[in-house]
Amino acid sequence: MSITLTAADSETEADPGPGLDDVWATAPFGEAAARMEHQCAVAPLLNLFDKDPHGFVEGIRTGRLRAALGLFTPNARFSLSHPTVTAVRDGVDVLLDGRYRYAGEWADVAFVPLAIDGEVRLALLPHSPEARHSDTSPADGYGWRVLSGVRLAAHALSRPVTFDADGPLAAVLDAFGWQFSRGSAELCARVVADLRRTLARSGEGTEALSTSQYVAHELSRLEIEISLASRAASLGAVFKNEGPGGQSAASVLLACTGLLWRTARMAEDLTTELGLPATDSGTGLTTASLQAYFGGRRMVEGELARRMGLLNPEVPGSLA
Protein backbone atom coordinates (compact mmCIF):
# COMPACT_ATOMS: atom_id res chain seq x y z
CA MET A 1 0.00 0.00 0.00
CA SER A 2 1.39 3.41 -0.94
CA ILE A 3 0.71 6.84 0.48
CA THR A 4 -2.19 8.55 -1.21
CA LEU A 5 -1.94 12.13 -2.33
CA THR A 6 -5.30 13.58 -1.37
CA ALA A 7 -6.38 14.85 2.00
CA ALA A 8 -9.33 12.46 2.13
CA ASP A 9 -7.32 9.34 1.43
CA SER A 10 -4.21 10.29 3.37
CA GLU A 11 -5.90 9.66 6.71
CA THR A 12 -4.81 6.05 6.15
CA GLU A 13 -1.12 5.88 6.87
CA ALA A 14 1.33 4.30 4.50
CA ASP A 15 2.69 0.84 5.04
CA PRO A 16 6.42 1.38 5.65
CA GLY A 17 7.17 -1.48 3.25
CA PRO A 18 8.84 -4.88 3.53
CA GLY A 19 11.62 -4.93 6.09
CA LEU A 20 11.30 -1.27 7.05
CA ASP A 21 9.63 -2.01 10.37
CA ASP A 22 12.98 -3.27 11.65
CA VAL A 23 15.33 -1.05 9.68
CA TRP A 24 15.92 1.31 12.61
CA ALA A 25 17.12 -1.61 14.71
CA THR A 26 19.52 -3.01 12.11
CA ALA A 27 20.85 -0.14 10.01
CA PRO A 28 22.81 3.05 10.79
CA PHE A 29 20.74 6.20 11.14
CA GLY A 30 21.53 7.58 7.67
CA GLU A 31 20.55 4.40 5.86
CA ALA A 32 17.43 3.77 7.94
CA ALA A 33 16.16 7.32 7.52
CA ALA A 34 16.91 7.35 3.77
CA ARG A 35 15.05 4.09 3.20
CA MET A 36 12.08 5.33 5.19
CA GLU A 37 12.14 8.64 3.29
CA HIS A 38 12.12 6.85 -0.06
CA GLN A 39 9.23 4.53 0.75
CA CYS A 40 7.04 7.01 2.62
CA ALA A 41 7.70 10.26 0.74
CA VAL A 42 9.72 9.90 -2.46
CA ALA A 43 7.60 7.16 -4.05
CA PRO A 44 4.22 8.93 -3.74
CA LEU A 45 5.58 12.30 -4.84
CA LEU A 46 6.52 10.82 -8.21
CA ASN A 47 2.82 10.84 -9.06
CA LEU A 48 2.89 14.65 -9.17
CA PHE A 49 4.95 14.69 -12.37
CA ASP A 50 2.96 14.45 -15.60
CA LYS A 51 6.03 14.37 -17.85
CA ASP A 52 9.48 12.88 -17.46
CA PRO A 53 11.73 14.43 -20.14
CA HIS A 54 14.98 13.46 -18.42
CA GLY A 55 13.94 9.98 -17.27
CA PHE A 56 14.35 10.78 -13.57
CA VAL A 57 10.87 9.60 -12.54
CA GLU A 58 11.31 6.30 -14.34
CA GLY A 59 14.84 5.94 -12.99
CA ILE A 60 13.64 6.37 -9.41
CA ARG A 61 10.70 4.01 -9.88
CA THR A 62 12.88 1.26 -11.29
CA GLY A 63 15.55 1.69 -8.62
CA ARG A 64 18.23 2.88 -11.06
CA LEU A 65 18.39 6.26 -9.29
CA ARG A 66 18.25 7.07 -5.58
CA ALA A 67 16.22 10.11 -4.57
CA ALA A 68 16.02 12.30 -1.49
CA LEU A 69 13.81 15.15 -0.36
CA GLY A 70 15.06 18.70 -0.71
CA LEU A 71 11.84 20.13 0.76
CA PHE A 72 13.22 21.17 4.12
CA THR A 73 15.83 23.86 3.56
CA PRO A 74 16.05 26.26 6.55
CA ASN A 75 15.07 29.84 5.78
CA ALA A 76 14.57 33.12 7.62
CA ARG A 77 10.90 32.42 8.27
CA PHE A 78 11.44 28.79 9.36
CA SER A 79 8.64 28.03 6.93
CA LEU A 80 8.33 24.96 4.70
CA SER A 81 5.91 26.85 2.44
CA HIS A 82 8.56 29.41 1.39
CA PRO A 83 11.01 27.76 -1.06
CA THR A 84 14.61 28.86 -1.04
CA VAL A 85 14.92 28.28 -4.81
CA THR A 86 13.24 30.59 -7.32
CA ALA A 87 12.46 29.83 -10.95
CA VAL A 88 12.07 32.39 -13.73
CA ARG A 89 10.63 31.43 -17.10
CA ASP A 90 12.93 31.77 -20.09
CA GLY A 91 11.09 30.58 -23.15
CA VAL A 92 10.37 26.87 -22.84
CA ASP A 93 12.80 26.61 -19.91
CA VAL A 94 13.10 27.97 -16.40
CA LEU A 95 16.22 29.40 -14.76
CA LEU A 96 16.84 28.34 -11.16
CA ASP A 97 18.58 30.35 -8.45
CA GLY A 98 18.99 29.68 -4.73
CA ARG A 99 20.13 26.77 -2.67
CA TYR A 100 18.60 23.73 -1.05
CA ARG A 101 19.42 21.07 1.49
CA TYR A 102 18.90 17.34 1.13
CA ALA A 103 19.42 14.51 3.57
CA GLY A 104 20.23 11.35 1.61
CA GLU A 105 24.01 11.15 1.42
CA TRP A 106 23.99 8.83 -1.60
CA ALA A 107 21.10 10.47 -3.46
CA ASP A 108 21.36 10.85 -7.23
CA VAL A 109 18.33 13.15 -7.46
CA ALA A 110 16.46 15.47 -5.08
CA PHE A 111 12.89 16.76 -4.95
CA VAL A 112 13.22 20.54 -4.70
CA PRO A 113 10.36 23.07 -4.26
CA LEU A 114 10.51 26.12 -6.52
CA ALA A 115 8.81 29.49 -6.22
CA ILE A 116 7.47 30.24 -9.71
CA ASP A 117 4.64 32.48 -10.94
CA GLY A 118 3.22 32.84 -7.41
CA GLU A 119 3.01 29.07 -7.01
CA VAL A 120 5.16 26.27 -5.67
CA ARG A 121 6.16 23.39 -7.92
CA LEU A 122 8.60 20.53 -7.46
CA ALA A 123 11.63 19.84 -9.62
CA LEU A 124 13.78 16.72 -9.78
CA LEU A 125 17.38 17.91 -9.76
CA PRO A 126 20.25 15.48 -10.30
CA HIS A 127 23.42 15.24 -8.24
CA SER A 128 25.48 12.39 -9.64
CA PRO A 129 27.33 12.50 -13.00
CA GLU A 130 25.26 9.53 -14.17
CA ALA A 131 21.94 11.26 -13.44
CA ARG A 132 22.90 14.77 -14.48
CA HIS A 133 21.81 16.10 -17.84
CA SER A 134 23.72 18.69 -19.80
CA ASP A 135 21.83 21.73 -18.51
CA THR A 136 22.48 21.27 -14.79
CA SER A 137 25.49 22.16 -12.72
CA PRO A 138 27.24 19.67 -10.43
CA ALA A 139 26.39 19.27 -6.78
CA ASP A 140 28.57 21.20 -4.36
CA GLY A 141 29.09 18.32 -1.96
CA TYR A 142 26.74 16.26 0.16
CA GLY A 143 24.04 18.09 2.06
CA TRP A 144 23.76 21.41 0.23
CA ARG A 145 23.56 22.53 -3.36
CA VAL A 146 23.80 26.05 -4.74
CA LEU A 147 22.01 26.93 -7.99
CA SER A 148 22.87 29.95 -10.11
CA GLY A 149 21.16 30.29 -13.47
CA VAL A 150 20.64 26.54 -13.79
CA ARG A 151 18.42 25.81 -16.79
CA LEU A 152 15.63 23.25 -16.64
CA ALA A 153 12.84 22.37 -19.07
CA ALA A 154 9.61 23.96 -17.79
CA HIS A 155 7.55 20.86 -18.64
CA ALA A 156 9.76 18.83 -16.28
CA LEU A 157 8.18 20.54 -13.25
CA SER A 158 5.45 18.97 -11.15
CA ARG A 159 1.90 20.18 -10.87
CA PRO A 160 1.40 23.06 -8.36
CA VAL A 161 1.66 21.95 -4.74
CA THR A 162 1.01 23.41 -1.30
CA PHE A 163 1.49 22.42 2.33
CA ASP A 164 -2.18 23.16 3.02
CA ALA A 165 -4.18 20.41 4.69
CA ASP A 166 -5.91 19.50 1.43
CA GLY A 167 -2.68 19.48 -0.58
CA PRO A 168 -0.39 16.55 -1.41
CA LEU A 169 2.65 17.71 0.57
CA ALA A 170 0.83 17.73 3.91
CA ALA A 171 -0.33 14.15 3.37
CA VAL A 172 3.16 12.98 2.49
CA LEU A 173 4.85 15.00 5.25
CA ASP A 174 2.51 13.62 7.91
CA ALA A 175 2.78 10.00 6.77
CA PHE A 176 6.58 10.23 6.64
CA GLY A 177 6.65 12.19 9.90
CA TRP A 178 4.73 9.54 11.84
CA GLN A 179 7.00 6.77 10.58
CA PHE A 180 10.12 8.84 11.22
CA SER A 181 8.92 9.67 14.74
CA ARG A 182 8.38 6.01 15.60
CA GLY A 183 11.75 4.97 14.24
CA SER A 184 13.69 7.85 15.76
CA ALA A 185 12.18 7.24 19.21
CA GLU A 186 13.19 3.60 18.93
CA LEU A 187 16.70 4.62 17.90
CA CYS A 188 17.01 7.11 20.78
CA ALA A 189 15.96 4.43 23.26
CA ARG A 190 18.62 2.10 21.88
CA VAL A 191 21.37 4.72 22.08
CA VAL A 192 20.49 5.63 25.68
CA ALA A 193 20.45 1.95 26.66
CA ASP A 194 23.87 1.52 25.04
CA LEU A 195 25.18 4.53 26.95
CA ARG A 196 23.95 3.06 30.22
CA ARG A 197 25.66 -0.26 29.48
CA THR A 198 28.88 1.50 28.52
CA LEU A 199 28.77 3.53 31.72
CA ALA A 200 28.21 0.38 33.78
CA ARG A 201 31.30 -1.33 32.43
CA SER A 202 33.56 1.74 32.42
CA GLY A 203 37.05 0.96 33.64
CA GLU A 204 39.24 2.44 36.33
CA GLY A 205 39.37 6.21 36.30
CA THR A 206 35.94 6.64 34.68
CA GLU A 207 33.74 4.57 37.00
CA ALA A 208 32.50 7.76 38.69
CA LEU A 209 30.59 8.55 35.52
CA SER A 210 28.17 5.74 36.19
CA THR A 211 26.98 7.43 39.39
CA SER A 212 27.45 11.04 38.33
CA GLN A 213 24.35 13.05 39.19
CA TYR A 214 24.74 14.98 35.92
CA VAL A 215 24.87 11.88 33.77
CA ALA A 216 22.17 10.01 35.70
CA HIS A 217 19.83 13.00 35.63
CA GLU A 218 20.22 13.67 31.91
CA LEU A 219 19.90 10.01 30.91
CA SER A 220 16.83 9.58 33.10
CA ARG A 221 15.20 12.66 31.61
CA LEU A 222 15.89 11.35 28.12
CA GLU A 223 14.50 7.91 28.96
CA ILE A 224 11.26 9.37 30.31
CA GLU A 225 10.73 11.73 27.40
CA ILE A 226 11.65 9.07 24.82
CA SER A 227 9.12 6.71 26.37
CA LEU A 228 6.37 9.34 26.20
CA ALA A 229 7.23 10.35 22.63
CA SER A 230 7.38 6.72 21.54
CA ARG A 231 3.92 6.10 22.93
CA ALA A 232 2.50 9.16 21.15
CA ALA A 233 4.19 8.20 17.87
CA SER A 234 2.87 4.64 18.09
CA LEU A 235 -0.70 5.97 17.94
CA GLY A 236 -0.06 7.55 14.55
CA ALA A 237 -2.84 9.37 12.73
CA VAL A 238 -5.48 8.24 15.24
CA PHE A 239 -3.77 10.42 17.86
CA LYS A 240 -6.39 13.15 18.53
CA ASN A 241 -8.16 11.85 15.42
CA GLU A 242 -6.66 14.52 13.14
CA GLY A 243 -6.33 14.35 9.38
CA PRO A 244 -3.40 15.60 7.26
CA GLY A 245 -2.02 18.97 8.26
CA GLY A 246 -3.06 18.55 11.88
CA GLN A 247 -1.16 19.72 14.93
CA SER A 248 -0.58 16.28 16.44
CA ALA A 249 1.66 15.03 13.63
CA ALA A 250 3.84 18.15 13.80
CA SER A 251 3.88 18.12 17.62
CA VAL A 252 5.07 14.52 17.85
CA LEU A 253 7.59 15.08 15.06
CA LEU A 254 8.96 18.12 16.90
CA ALA A 255 9.32 16.10 20.09
CA CYS A 256 11.13 13.28 18.30
CA THR A 257 13.46 15.47 16.24
CA GLY A 258 14.36 17.29 19.47
CA LEU A 259 15.03 14.01 21.25
CA LEU A 260 17.19 12.81 18.36
CA TRP A 261 19.33 15.93 18.62
CA ARG A 262 19.59 15.72 22.42
CA THR A 263 20.43 12.02 22.33
CA ALA A 264 23.15 12.53 19.73
CA ARG A 265 24.51 15.49 21.68
CA MET A 266 24.51 13.50 24.92
CA ALA A 267 26.43 10.65 23.30
CA GLU A 268 28.96 13.10 21.83
CA ASP A 269 29.41 14.88 25.16
CA LEU A 270 30.02 11.65 27.03
CA THR A 271 32.71 10.54 24.59
CA THR A 272 34.42 13.93 24.35
CA GLU A 273 33.91 16.15 27.41
CA LEU A 274 33.64 13.24 29.85
CA GLY A 275 35.94 10.71 28.18
CA LEU A 276 33.53 7.77 27.97
CA PRO A 277 34.57 5.03 25.52
CA ALA A 278 32.50 5.06 22.35
CA THR A 279 29.45 2.81 22.44
CA ASP A 280 29.10 -0.16 20.11
CA SER A 281 25.58 0.72 18.98
CA GLY A 282 26.65 1.31 15.38
CA THR A 283 23.90 3.89 14.88
CA GLY A 284 26.05 6.47 13.11
CA LEU A 285 23.98 9.11 14.87
CA THR A 286 25.59 12.55 15.09
CA THR A 287 24.10 16.01 15.43
CA ALA A 288 25.30 16.83 11.92
CA SER A 289 23.78 13.70 10.35
CA LEU A 290 20.22 14.40 11.48
CA GLN A 291 19.81 18.14 10.84
CA ALA A 292 18.73 17.79 7.20
CA TYR A 293 15.68 15.67 8.01
CA PHE A 294 12.64 17.96 8.08
CA GLY A 295 15.03 20.91 8.18
CA GLY A 296 15.95 20.35 11.82
CA ARG A 297 14.10 21.32 14.98
CA ARG A 298 13.57 24.99 14.11
CA MET A 299 11.84 24.25 10.82
CA VAL A 300 9.54 21.71 12.50
CA GLU A 301 8.74 24.34 15.15
CA GLY A 302 7.85 26.76 12.36
CA GLU A 303 5.56 24.20 10.70
CA LEU A 304 3.80 23.50 13.98
CA ALA A 305 3.33 27.24 14.55
CA ARG A 306 1.85 27.58 11.05
CA ARG A 307 -0.59 24.74 11.72
CA MET A 308 -1.58 26.35 15.01
CA GLY A 309 -2.39 29.59 13.21
CA LEU A 310 0.37 31.53 14.96
CA LEU A 311 1.97 32.81 11.76
CA ASN A 312 0.65 35.69 9.69
CA PRO A 313 -0.29 34.33 6.26
CA GLU A 314 -0.21 37.84 4.79
CA VAL A 315 3.56 38.25 5.13
CA PRO A 316 4.79 39.92 1.91
CA GLY A 317 5.98 37.30 -0.52
CA SER A 318 4.10 34.53 1.24
CA LEU A 319 3.12 31.61 -0.95
CA ALA A 320 0.87 30.10 1.70
Side-chain angles (χ1 to χ4, degrees), residues 100-274:
Y100 65 89
R101 188 183 207 178
Y102 62 99
E105 185 171 359
W106 300 280
D108 301 304
V109 185
F111 286 86
V112 181
L114 312 175
I116 177 171
D117 300 336
E119 299 176 324
V120 177
R121 295 177 184 259
L122 300 181
L124 284 170
L125 300 182
H127 297 156
S128 69
E130 294 77 16
R132 191 177 306 125
H133 59 86
S134 58
D135 289 333
T136 61
S137 62
D140 298 298
Y142 161 60
W144 293 88
R145 186 177 176 202
V146 177
L147 305 173
S148 179
V150 170
R151 184 175 295 273
L152 189 69
H155 63 283
L157 302 181
S158 75
R159 300 190 293 274
V161 298
T162 73
F163 278 98
D164 295 339
D166 59 350
L169 296 185
V172 169
L173 175 63
D174 285 11
F176 178 34
W178 282 119
Q179 296 289 356
F180 186 89
S181 296
R182 293 188 189 110
S184 60
E186 174 186 322
L187 180 64
C188 288
R190 193 166 106 232
V191 171
V192 171
D194 288 339
L195 287 173
R196 284 223 184 264
R197 283 191 290 270
T198 303
L199 283 167
R201 62 173 180 260
S202 296
E204 183 178 356
T206 60
E207 65 272 16
L209 285 175
S210 61
T211 56
S212 163
Q213 289 185 354
Y214 165 75
V215 174
H217 177 64
E218 288 300 309
L219 286 179
S220 295
R221 283 181 58 191
L222 277 175
E223 286 174 326
I224 293 169
E225 293 180 46
I226 290 168
S227 177
L228 293 173
S230 179
R231 175 56 180 162
S234 70
L235 298 175
V238 301
F239 185 51
K240 293 194 174 181
N241 198 31
E242 287 184 334
Q247 297 176 24
S248 59
S251 297
V252 173
L253 180 60
L254 176 58
C256 290
T257 53
L259 285 169
L260 262 178
W261 188 87
R262 287 171 53 199
T263 300
R265 183 64 180 268
M266 183 69 175
E268 290 175 353
D269 284 351
L270 289 179
T271 57
T272 54
E273 292 183 322
L274 301 180

Side-chain angles (χ1 to χ4, degrees), residues 245-313:
Q247 297 176 24
S248 59
S251 297
V252 173
L253 180 60
L254 176 58
C256 290
T257 53
L259 285 169
L260 262 178
W261 188 87
R262 287 171 53 199
T263 300
R265 183 64 180 268
M266 183 69 175
E268 290 175 353
D269 284 351
L270 289 179
T271 57
T272 54
E273 292 183 322
L274 301 180
L276 184 74
T279 68
D280 54 5
S281 61
T283 60
L285 181 64
T286 65
T287 52
S289 70
L290 57 88
Q291 290 295 326
Y293 284 95
F294 302 98
R297 299 169 299 153
R298 301 295 178 240
M299 290 293 284
V300 179
E301 285 179 351
E303 175 62 11
L304 176 58
R306 185 185 71 83
R307 295 184 179 197
M308 294 175 68
L310 300 179
L311 300 182
N312 182 4

